[in-house]
Amino acid sequence: MKKITIILTIASFLFLTWTAFTPAQKSNQNIEENWENKVSPQLMGKALRGEALDFLVVLKKQSDVSAAKNFSTKAQRGNYVFQKLKQNAKSTQKNILNILNTAQVPHQAFSIINAVQVKGDLQLLKTLAQLPEVAQLTTNSSVKLEELPTQNPISNRDPEDIEWGIKMMNADVVWEKGYRGQNVIVGGQDTGYEWTHPAIINTYRGNTGSTPNHNYNWHDAIHEISLLHNDSIVLPTNNPCGLDVNYPCDDHSHGTHTMGTMVGEAPENQIGVAPAAQWIACRSMERGWGKPSTYMECFEWFMAPTDLENENPDPTKAPHVIANSWSCPTSEGCDSTNWHIMEMVVKNLKASGVVVVVSAGNSGSLGCGSVRAPAAMFEASFSVGATAANDSIAGFSSRGPVTVNGSGIRKPNVSAPGVAVRSCIRDGNYATWSGTSMAGPHVAGMVALMISANPNLAGHVDAIESI
């Protein structure tokens, strides 16, 4: 009898102990048991191999900024979205940031999407994954800029000639009507920009005279360099710009070329679609290598540019349109487990009143369905394919529809000149390059012309894209 009584007593104790758990404690226990489900397969593989980890922690609570469309001006939309995203991040990231600060590990908090970039090991990964406020952890891999073979730089041309792409778009006809992009700000995130190049120095917003002002006009998201980028050794010491540069610098030429097509103008080089617009910029790639966190940092800066100390963000200084020529294919780790992260970033910037122009990609040889990588595959991105001077689609230009994620959406949204496009490059030179990277800037320049002709369009992204 005593034995039965003891067993019943123990059973009663265990039952009462279990029922005494609060719902939150039960939830935490379940999360602890299933924390692996929050970690992307690629990131988990790296962790189990004992590799040093660079990853993104995405929180569950994300802001709904769709109400921004109810505001009439770009400034109002930009401020609303910025403040709402900032407040959400501040209120939900406290616990994670306390853990990271206590552990003294490198990290960077974002607000354009409620996420934190972290460097750590398997144990830290597990600790963060067990937090109830965390939705997902995914890798933050480096990605190489997709490029096509370039032609040799060109030094001789007719000073009176206007580049063929500008004529094809009839931008020069718009110029004759007095609209050249005046009072419009164009942004670019790329390999950087040689702001002192004669073709773009006069259109740089930071060129205020004898003493340039780079505050709110330039941001460098390249803070470090991996020693190995797949097949080549890349060292910080041999980067032409260095790290955390406090003035616009281009370590590749790709960025300078795209900016020239948007706003470039010099006495003998009419290369820019909107030569009276001003530009600001962010370096998101180190000699062509970028990663989700560097792109996210630039997107966040464009929403509310900061001073050179990355302080005092001001959404009123945001550009009207930005051009993007990067991609993150499946082969580099961007897949169905993390596509939504960059898509939310694009959506939020668009909601703030900025047109997000994205090059469609150079995988046209694969045929239909070759628009298959962020950010060109997203509905919120305004994706651009490439055409040749005879108005035919370039063979390399990626095609839609988007099948990789099952959305079936039609991409690209438009196509523009992207074959043998002449523009400026580093060291004051010029070159003729091909790619959808050359087509996208034509469209960004077109947006600038539209807004200069009708300032009421500023911030109304859907209307601009529809036109």
Side-chain angles (χ1 to χ4, degrees), residues 55-113:
F55 57 97
L56 297 171
V57 181
V58 183
L59 282 76
K60 289 180 180 177
K61 187 178 180 182
Q62 299 293 330
S63 294
D64 179 5
V65 295
S66 58
K69 64 179 180 292
N70 297 325
F71 294 93
S72 59
T73 69
K74 180 178 182 296
Q76 291 171 333
R77 292 184 177 193
N79 186 65
Y80 169 80
V81 173
F82 171 69
Q83 293 296 342
K84 188 158 189 178
L85 294 174
K86 182 180 178 181
Q87 290 168 6
N88 180 49
K90 183 178 180 180
S91 64
T92 58
Q93 292 179 6
K94 292 180 181 178
N95 188 30
I96 292 176
L97 296 180
N98 284 337
I99 292 172
L100 297 175
N101 287 326
T102 300
Q104 296 183 327
V105 295
H107 63 276
Q108 180 178 6
F110 293 96
S111 60
I112 192 167
I113 178 175

Side-chain angles (χ1 to χ4, degrees), residues 5-79:
T5 302
I6 292 172
I7 292 174
L8 289 173
T9 301
I10 293 174
S12 298
F13 173 76
L14 291 175
F15 175 76
L16 291 172
T17 302
W18 169 253
T19 56
F21 281 148
T22 65
Q25 288 173 317
K26 291 179 181 179
S27 176
N28 286 342
Q29 186 177 42
N30 291 335
I31 289 172
E32 182 175 356
E33 292 172 352
N34 301 311
W35 67 271
E36 298 97 333
N37 295 335
K38 296 183 180 181
V39 184
S40 70
Q42 186 183 45
L43 179 58
M44 183 62 78
K46 290 183 177 182
L48 294 176
R49 291 191 296 270
E51 298 179 19
L53 303 179
D54 184 349
F55 57 97
L56 297 171
V57 181
V58 183
L59 282 76
K60 289 180 180 177
K61 187 178 180 182
Q62 299 293 330
S63 294
D64 179 5
V65 295
S66 58
K69 64 179 180 292
N70 297 325
F71 294 93
S72 59
T73 69
K74 180 178 182 296
Q76 291 171 333
R77 292 184 177 193
N79 186 65

Side-chain angles (χ1 to χ4, degrees), residues 173-363:
V173 176
V174 178
W175 296 349
E176 293 173 359
K177 297 180 181 297
Y179 308 118
R180 296 168 56 85
Q182 58 269 32
N183 303 316
V184 179
I185 307 300
V186 172
Q189 66 159 312
D190 212 289
T191 62
Y193 304 84
E194 185 178 83
W195 79 275
T196 56
H197 193 293
I200 59 176
I201 187 172
N202 292 323
T203 52
Y204 173 49
R205 192 171 70 178
N207 183 12
T208 57
S210 57
T211 303
N213 182 7
H214 303 300
N215 291 288
Y216 299 97
N217 300 314
W218 165 255
H219 181 75
D220 192 358
I222 304 301
H223 313 300
E224 62 177 3
I225 300 173
S226 299
L227 294 181
L228 179 64
H229 281 321
N230 290 349
D231 57 349
S232 60
I233 300 297
V234 182
L235 300 172
T237 52
N238 59 22
N239 184 283
C241 296
L243 305 176
D244 292 308
V245 189
N246 61 6
Y247 62 91
C249 183
D250 189 347
D251 61 25
H252 182 283
S253 276
H254 190 270
T256 301
H257 196 281
T258 62
M259 191 60 72
T261 299
M262 287 188 273
V263 298
E265 183 180 49
E268 296 182 356
N269 291 280
Q270 299 184 65
I271 58 174
V273 175
Q278 291 184 304
W279 64 271
I280 63 175
C282 181
R283 181 169 67 146
S284 62
M285 290 182 281
E286 191 279 317
R287 281 171 285 187
W289 288 92
K291 54 186 178 181
S293 62
T294 61
Y295 303 130
M296 288 163 58
E297 183 173 336
C298 283
F299 275 125
E300 184 163 300
W301 184 82
F302 280 125
M303 180 176 287
T306 64
D307 57 30
L308 291 176
E309 301 301 321
N310 203 29
E311 300 288 344
N312 306 305
D314 186 350
T316 67
K317 292 181 170 59
H320 295 86
V321 57
I322 65 169
N324 304 267
S325 295
W326 53 270
S327 69
C328 187
T330 303
S331 60
E332 298 287 354
C334 283
D335 54 32
S336 58
T337 67
N338 53 35
W339 282 329
H340 67 286
I341 297 173
M342 197 59 66
E343 185 170 18
M344 280 191 284
V345 171
V346 174
K347 283 182 177 180
N348 288 341
L349 185 60
K350 178 179 177 179
S352 74
V354 179
V355 182
V356 183
V357 175
V358 180
S359 298
N362 302 325
S363 301

